Amino acid sequence: MANDIPQDILEQLVQMLSNLVSNDNMVRSSAEQQLNSDWMVSKPDALLTGLAHLACHHDDAVLRSFAAVLARRVALRIAPNQPTTDTVELTLWDVMPEETRQVIQTNFLTALKKETNKSARNKICDTISEIARVTALNEQTWQELLPVLLDCAKSESAEQRESAFRIFTSVPHLVSGQHMEELSIVFDNCLKDKEPLVRLGAMKAVISIMLESSITVRNAMGVLLPQLLEVLSGFVATSEEDHLVEGLVALIELAEHSPRLFRNLVSSVLAFMIEIVKKKEFDDRTRQSALELLLTLAECAPGLVRKVPDYASVIVPAAMEMMTELEDDKEWYSGDGSDEDDNDANYIIGEHALDRLARALGGSMILPVSFIYIPQMLASDSWQARHSALMAISAIAEGCAQIMEEELPKIINMVLPYLTDSHARVRFAACNAIGQLSTDFAGILQKNHHSLVLKHLIPVMDNAQFPRVRAHAAAALVNFCEAVDKATLEPYLDSIFERLLSLLDSGTIFIQEQAITTIATVADSAEERFVKYYSSIMPLLINVLQQATSSEYRLLRGKTMECASLIALAVGKNVFAPHAQGFIKLLVQTQTSVTEPDDPQVYYLLTAWARICKVLGRDFVPYLDIVMPPLLASAQLKPDFAVVDPEDDVESKYSAEDGWEFVGVDGQQIGIKTTVLEEKCTAVEMLSCYAQELGSGFRPYLEKVRDIVLPLLKFYFHDGVRHAAVATLTPLVSCVQQAELGEEYMFNFWHQICAGILEVVATEADSTFLVPLYAAFYESLDIMGPGPSLSPVLLEAFTKATEAQLREFYARLKHREEARASEELEAEDEEIIQEEELNEEAVLGEIGRALQGVFRTHGVNYTSIFQVLLEPVVATFLNDTQSPTCRQWAICVLGDLVEFTGPLSWPIMAAYVPRVMDSLMDPSLAEVRQAACYTLGVWGQYGGSDYATVCSASLPLLFQLINVAQARSDENVMVTENAVAAVTKICKFNASQFDVNAVLPSWVQALPVVNDSEEAPLVYTYLLDLMDA
C-alpha cells in the first residue's frame, strides 16, 4: 500500500515537515495549523501512512527521524470529531482501520531492519515501542513484531542487535514465559557481545523484563545477574563511564524493586561497587551511582545486608572518605549558602549515605564502625577530616539514636571543643552537629546538658569575622530551643538576646534573617518569660517592616512577620496590645504590595494572620474581610501539569528548581509543579485555624470554605492538603452551631459535609487518611447533639462505606497472616507488617468510635440496617480465633449496641453471649479480656431483665479474673478494674437472679479502682450508696 500513496501527498508531507522546523514563526505556525486542522481532521490515514513511508524510505536521515517522531506523537493524539456521547476518548491510532495500522506497522519494521543512521534508528525504535504498547493496551495483536525483534537480536549487525534490545527495554511485556528459553540464549550471547552498546542494551532489556515479569520468571532470570555484573566490570576496565552509569542506574532500579534477587551476590556487589567508589579518577556521578546501588540494597533489604559481616566496615569508611572531598572555596566565606549548587557534590553524597545507612541498618551495625574513624579524623591536621567527622556525627545521629543515647555525654564532649577550632568550616560543622543532636535527642540533651552546650554555643555567635558561622550557631540554637523547658532556658535568656540583637544589627541580610528566626523560636519556648525582652525587641521588628521595603528584603520581612506574630502568641493579648494595630496595619500594607506569585512573603502572611487571630480571638473578626480574599485564593490554587515526550529536554523546560517533579508513566513523563502545593496546604490549614478560633464570627465564610475544602478531600496530589481539608470540617460544623442559624440550616450544612466525608470513606485506601476522616465524622456528629442527625440515606451510606472498609481490613489482615506463615518473610518485611498493623488498628479504633456515635444518636432506629450490613462482619471478627484485635473490636461494638439500644438489643445479642463470656478468659490478649469485662458491665447496667441470668452466671468468672495471680500487674490491672466495675454494675442495676449481699464482701475485697478514671466514679458512688443505706 506504500506504493499507493500518491506522490503529491508525500511531497506535501515533506514540505509540512520542513515547515514545522522552520525558524520563521509564521511558517511554523501555518504548518502546525495545517497538521492539526487539515491532515488530522480530513486525512488521518494518509497522514500516518505517509509519515511511516517517509520514516522508512526517504533519503534524508533527519527527515526520516522527524517523520518517525511525528508519527508517534500524532498517532497518540485524541482523534478529532468524536461523538460527544463517548465516555472514553479515542486516539487517532484507535480509530485507524486495521488495514492502515498494519501498513504503518510493516513500514516501521522494514525501517528497523534497514536504517543505518543511529539517531533515526533510535526514533524508529521509540515509535515501534509506543505502537506496541498501545496495541497491547487495546488488546490488539502485532504478531510480526516479536519474530522480527528476535531476528534483529541475532543479526550480524550490531546496530540491529542494539535496536532490538532498546525495544525490549521499552516494551518488556512483549516477552512472556513461553519465549524465555529462546531469549535466555539470546541474552546469554549478547551480554558477552563484543560491542559495548549491545552489551549495555541487553543488560537494560534483561532488567526491564525482570521488573515487569511474574515472580517465577523474575527468579528464573536471576541467574543472569552475575553476567550483568560482568558487563559492568567490562565498562570499568575500559573506563566507559557513560555506559557504566547507565548500567548502574538500571541495576539500582532492579535492586529497589526486587532486592532479594541479590541474595547470593551481596558480598560480590559490595566489593565491586566499593572498587568503583574508590576510583577518584572516575567522574563523581559514576562513583555516586556505585554507592547508590549499595545504599539501595541496604534500604530495601536491610535483613539481607545485615547478614554480610563486612558491609558496614567497608561502606562506612568509603562514605566518610567521600565526605573529605571538599575544597576551601573562598566563595563559601562570602556567601550565605542559599545559592550553593553542590547538593550533588561528593561530600554531600557521602553525608547522605551515612544518614541513609544508619536509618536503614540501625545503630548496632553503623555506630561501632563510625566511631572507629571519627576520633581519628577529629585528631587529624586536615580540616577536611575534622569537618567530615563532625558532619558524620550529624548524619548518623537519627538512625543510631537509641544506642547513641547511652554515649551522649561523651559525644557532646567530643564535639564541643571544635566550636573553637582554628578553621571556620570546622566550627560550622560543630554547630551543625550540636543542632542535629539537639533535634535527635530532643528533651534529653536539653535537660541533662543545657549548661555545657549553651556555655560553648552562645559565644560562637560573637564570631563576627565569619558571618556564616555566627548564623549557623544561631540556627543550632533554634534546634536546641525547640525542645527546651522554659525554666531551663530562663537563666540564659540575657546572654542569648544580647547576641541575637547584635546579629540583628549586623547589616547582613542572611544573618538578620537567621537572628529573627532564632528570636522567634526562643520567644516561643520562653513563653511568658519573654515579656522582659518584649519592649526591646518588638519595636525593632516593627522597624524592620517599616524600613526594609525593597525586593531584596522580602524574605527578611517574611521572617520578621513570623517572629513578631510568634512573640505576640508568647506574651499574650494584653502585652501585645500596644503594638497590635500598628503590626496589623503593616500586614495589610504588605498584603496589598504583593504582586508576584512567588513572593516568599505570601506564606509568612498566611501564618502571621492566623497567629494574630489566635492572640486576638473574637476581636480579630473585623479583619476577616482583609485576610480572607487572598487566603481563599491560595486555598484554590491549582498546580500546573505537563505531559512530555521522553525525547524532550525536560530539565531545560521544567526545572526542578522551579518546583517541577516528574514520574514516568507508560513511556511518558508526567510532571506537576509542586511550588504552589505548600502554599495551598498552608492556606487550608489557616482556614481551619480561623474556624476554630472565631466560632460564630466566621459565619460569612462558612459556605464558601465548605465548598472549597470538601473537594480537597480528593486532592490526591498532596497529602498535606487532604489532611488540612478534613481537619477544617468539624470546626465548620461547630461554627454553624455557635452561630445559631436554625435547625434546618444546621442540618443541611452538616448533611453536605457528611455526604462528602462518606463519599471518600467508601473508596479510600490510605489508612492514615481514614483516621481523620472517621474522626471528622463522629466529632461532627457529637456537635450536632444527642438526637438523630443523619438522614436514612446518610445512615445507609455510612453503613455501606464502613462495611466495605471492614471487609478490606479483614482481607488485608488475612494477607498479613499468610505472609507471616510463609518461609520467605524477612526481618524488614516484619517491620513493614508491624507498621501496617499499627495504622490499620488506628483505623479500626476510629470506626468503632464512629459506630458508637451513630448508636448513641440513633439508637434503636439504627439496628435494622446494622443487622443487615454490619452484623455479619462483626460476627466474623468475633469468631476469628487468630486475631485478638478483631475479637476485641467486635466485643466493644456489641457493648455499644447494648448500651444505646438497651433491652431491645437482646434479639441480636443472644447469639453472641457465649462467645463474649468465653472471652473473659481469653489467653491471647489482656485487651480482649478487658473488653469482655466492660461489655458484661454494660449488660448489667443497660440490658434489663433479659440479661439478668447471664449477668448472674458471669459473676464467678469475673471474680476469677479479679483474684488471678498478677491481677494488679501492668498487663492485667485494667482487666481487673473493669471486672470490679462490671460486678458493681451488675449488683447495682441487674441483681434479680442472685443474692447481692452474698456477693458484696468479695466485691469490697476486690477494691480499690485507681487506674480506670472512667469506671472509678460509678464504683465509689455505689460504695457510698451502700454506706448511706
Side-chain angles (χ1 to χ4, degrees), residues 17 51 53-70 108 111 114-117 120-121 123-124:
L17 289 171
L51 289 173
H53 177 84
L54 293 173
C56 182
H57 299 291
H58 200 274
D59 293 336
D60 185 353
V62 174
L63 192 138
R64 292 197 302 274
S65 177
F66 188 25
V69 171
L70 190 60
F108 276 111
K114 63 183 282 191
E115 182 59 67
T116 57
N117 179 273
R121 191 175 67 251
K123 300 297 190 298
I124 288 165

Side-chain angles (χ1 to χ4, degrees), residues 234-276:
F235 296 150
V236 172
T238 55
S239 296
E240 293 172 287
E241 290 191 57
D242 288 344
H243 298 346
L244 178 57
V245 169
E246 272 196 71
L248 284 169
V249 168
L251 208 56
I252 288 164
E253 187 177 3
L254 181 63
E256 187 174 10
H257 182 273
S258 302
R260 288 188 194 138
L261 289 174
F262 294 79
R263 186 190 304 273
N264 300 318
L265 293 169
V266 177
S267 294
S268 302
V269 172
L270 174 65
F272 183 21
M273 293 303 112
I274 289 297
E275 175 193 344
I276 298 172

Side-chain angles (χ1 to χ4, degrees), residues 122-311:
N122 287 344
K123 300 297 190 298
I124 288 165
C125 288
D126 293 342
T127 301
I128 290 172
S129 298
E130 201 58 49
I131 292 174
R133 187 180 292 112
V134 173
T135 299
L137 244 128
N138 294 345
E139 299 182 353
Q140 299 161 348
T141 58
W142 189 359
Q143 294 178 351
E144 300 84 1
L145 177 58
L146 187 57
V148 169
L149 292 180
L150 290 173
D151 286 343
C152 287
K154 302 172 192 173
S155 169
E156 293 295 321
S157 164
E159 289 79 9
Q160 286 197 21
R161 297 198 298 276
E162 181 195 350
S163 295
F165 292 124
R166 183 182 181 96
I167 294 171
F168 281 134
T169 301
S170 297
V171 201
H173 68 258
L174 289 174
V175 180
S176 60
Q178 70 227 38
H179 309 116
M180 284 314 304
E181 186 174 346
E182 183 178 1
L183 269 172
S184 293
I185 298 170
V186 173
F187 284 134
D188 188 59
N189 291 331
C190 290
L191 287 170
K192 301 170 186 172
D193 199 283
K194 63 181 180 179
E195 293 295 331
L197 282 174
V198 176
R199 296 199 303 274
L200 177 62
M203 177 182 181
K204 291 167 67 175
V206 167
I207 291 173
S208 184
I209 293 167
M210 292 171 79
L211 291 171
E212 293 294 325
S213 297
S214 66
I215 293 176
T216 304
V217 173
R218 191 182 311 133
N219 289 338
M221 294 183 71
V223 298
L224 294 172
L225 271 177
Q227 288 174 258
L228 303 186
L229 294 176
E230 281 300 315
V231 172
L232 296 181
S233 182
F235 296 150
V236 172
T238 55
S239 296
E240 293 172 287
E241 290 191 57
D242 288 344
H243 298 346
L244 178 57
V245 169
E246 272 196 71
L248 284 169
V249 168
L251 208 56
I252 288 164
E253 187 177 3
L254 181 63
E256 187 174 10
H257 182 273
S258 302
R260 288 188 194 138
L261 289 174
F262 294 79
R263 186 190 304 273
N264 300 318
L265 293 169
V266 177
S267 294
S268 302
V269 172
L270 174 65
F272 183 21
M273 293 303 112
I274 289 297
E275 175 193 344
I276 298 172
V277 171
K278 289 183 176 180
K279 281 184 176 290
K280 293 188 178 181
E281 65 271 22
F282 275 3
D283 288 344
D284 289 351
R285 186 178 175 221
T286 307
R287 299 169 63 203
Q288 292 169 13
S289 298
L291 181 61
E292 180 62 32
L293 177 56
L294 296 176
L295 296 173
T296 301
L297 285 172
E299 289 174 329
C300 297
L304 196 64
V305 166
R306 289 189 189 105
K307 295 174 184 176
V308 180
D310 58 346
Y311 205 92

Side-chain angles (χ1 to χ4, degrees), residues 614-649:
K614 286 186 176 183
V615 174
L616 299 183
R618 297 298 177 94
D619 291 342
F620 187 79
V621 171
Y623 304 105
L624 270 182
D625 288 343
I626 299 170
V627 173
M628 289 300 290
L631 183 62
L632 294 173
S634 294
Q636 294 176 88
L637 285 171
K638 291 180 172 59
D640 294 328
F641 292 95
V643 180
V644 300
D645 192 273
E647 297 293 328
D648 288 347
D649 185 358

Side-chain angles (χ1 to χ4, degrees), residues 733 743-744 746-755 758 777-795 853-854 856-859 861:
V733 176
E743 186 175 289
E744 182 180 359
M746 186 168 181
F747 274 75
N748 288 336
F749 190 91
W750 157 235
H751 284 177
Q752 289 186 55
I753 285 180
C754 183
L758 296 179
F777 172 82
Y778 68 71
E779 288 169 0
S780 299
L781 202 61
D782 287 345
I783 292 170
M784 292 299 296
S789 62
L790 296 173
S791 67
V793 171
L794 289 173
L795 268 179
V854 173
R856 184 177 59 253
T857 52
H858 293 74
N861 294 330

